Amino acid sequence: MTEQVQSEVFKVMAERHSVKQYQTGHRLPKEHLEQILTAASQAPSSWNLQHWKFLVIEDQANKEKLLPIAFGQKQIAESSAVIAVLGDLQANLNLEPVFGPLVEAGFLKPEIKEGLSGQVNGAYKNPQVARDEAIRNASLASMQLMLAAKALGYDTCPMGGYDPVRFVSEFNVPERYLPIMLITVGVAATPARGSGRLSLDQVVVKESF
């Protein structure tokens, strides 16, 4: 990685802040939306099961339907798109489509796949494991999504302030998926407010407490 690329990566991370006001009426070009979603889908995940589903809401009528579910937070209606990040509670079912082609192509031995299958399905007998993995891995994808959006010149805001029960009902979310967060995406109408950060001395512990 060149120094210039390293610099750009850190610049994107430093400049990403949550935006509450967007330029209304701006529509994301299809190719930009696909770039953002592709980057999100390339996030790391436990067993590479890719425990996420993205519900993209661009239609203004649907954003208006979502607005009261998100307690009237106006960035929902003003943004170019709202991406609901959902965690997959049955990500163990992804094992075959993820690893099957690798076995067929000769890149993975069948016995290794069988071993992984036993490990994954054994873990998923515990509902708490399924829930924890859904949240953990979908959150990794969420952060990657926001950084990708910033790299393309867009701003975002991750939102946990909404009624997940109403969201599931109104948008027909299958039981398999757990709402993790809403992410608004668009062009900022006003710059994000600066936010304070704890110093490294306050957040880093070395070796042991």
Side-chain angles (χ1 to χ4, degrees):
M1 182 180 292
T2 66
E3 288 186 10
Q4 181 180 355
V5 172
Q6 290 176 353
S7 175
E8 288 299 318
V9 169
F10 282 108
K11 184 173 183 285
V12 167
M13 291 180 179
E15 292 183 352
R16 191 222 63 80
H17 295 288
S18 295
V19 162
K20 307 292 186 180
Q21 293 181 303
Y22 295 96
Q23 294 179 18
T24 58
H26 180 274
R27 191 165 183 84
L28 283 176
K30 180 182 177 182
E31 59 271 25
H32 286 179
L33 179 60
E34 288 184 353
Q35 277 184 274
I36 290 167
L37 294 171
T38 297
S41 70
Q42 291 169 338
S45 60
S46 301
W47 298 290
N48 194 31
L49 293 179
Q50 301 160 57
H51 314 56
W52 43 69
K53 187 75 80 174
F54 306 110
L55 174 57
V56 179
I57 302 169
E58 294 183 278
D59 183 79
Q60 192 62 33
N62 282 330
K63 287 189 285 182
E64 294 293 342
K65 183 170 75 169
L66 179 57
L67 187 59
I69 297 172
F71 311 125
Q73 298 179 80
K74 64 181 182 178
Q75 62 262 42
I76 291 287
E78 293 177 350
S79 65
S80 300
V82 181
I83 300 174
V85 181
L86 312 175
D88 191 352
L89 295 169
Q90 298 177 30
N92 55 312
L93 300 181
N94 293 341
L95 192 140
E96 185 59 39
V98 169
F99 291 102
L102 296 179
V103 172
E104 292 179 11
F107 297 134
L108 185 70
K109 293 181 179 179
E111 56 268 28
I112 294 178
K113 175 176 170 286
E114 288 305 309
L116 284 169
S117 178
Q119 185 184 97
V120 168
N121 288 315
Y124 270 75
K125 290 179 181 178
N126 184 340
Q128 188 62 48
V129 169
R131 182 179 176 85
D132 288 349
E133 292 296 342
I135 295 171
R136 182 181 1 262
N137 294 286
S139 296
L140 290 171
S142 298
M143 190 70 251
Q144 198 138 309
L145 187 156
M146 290 185 283
L147 291 175
K150 189 62 181 176
L152 287 173
Y154 299 102
D155 287 288
T156 56
C157 182
M159 301 172 64
Y162 64 98
D163 185 334
V165 175
R166 286 184 63 192
F167 176 78
V168 165
S169 175
E170 291 290 333
F171 288 88
N172 303 309
V173 178
E175 290 185 5
R176 175 173 175 170
Y177 300 107
L178 176 70
I180 304 300
M181 69 183 76
L182 305 176
I183 301 177
T184 53
V185 184
V187 178
T190 58
R193 295 193 301 269
S195 57
R197 286 292 185 267
L198 298 173
S199 68
L200 287 184
D201 288 343
Q202 292 172 291
V203 300
V204 176
V205 177
K206 294 187 177 180
E207 312 300 348
S208 177
F209 278 93

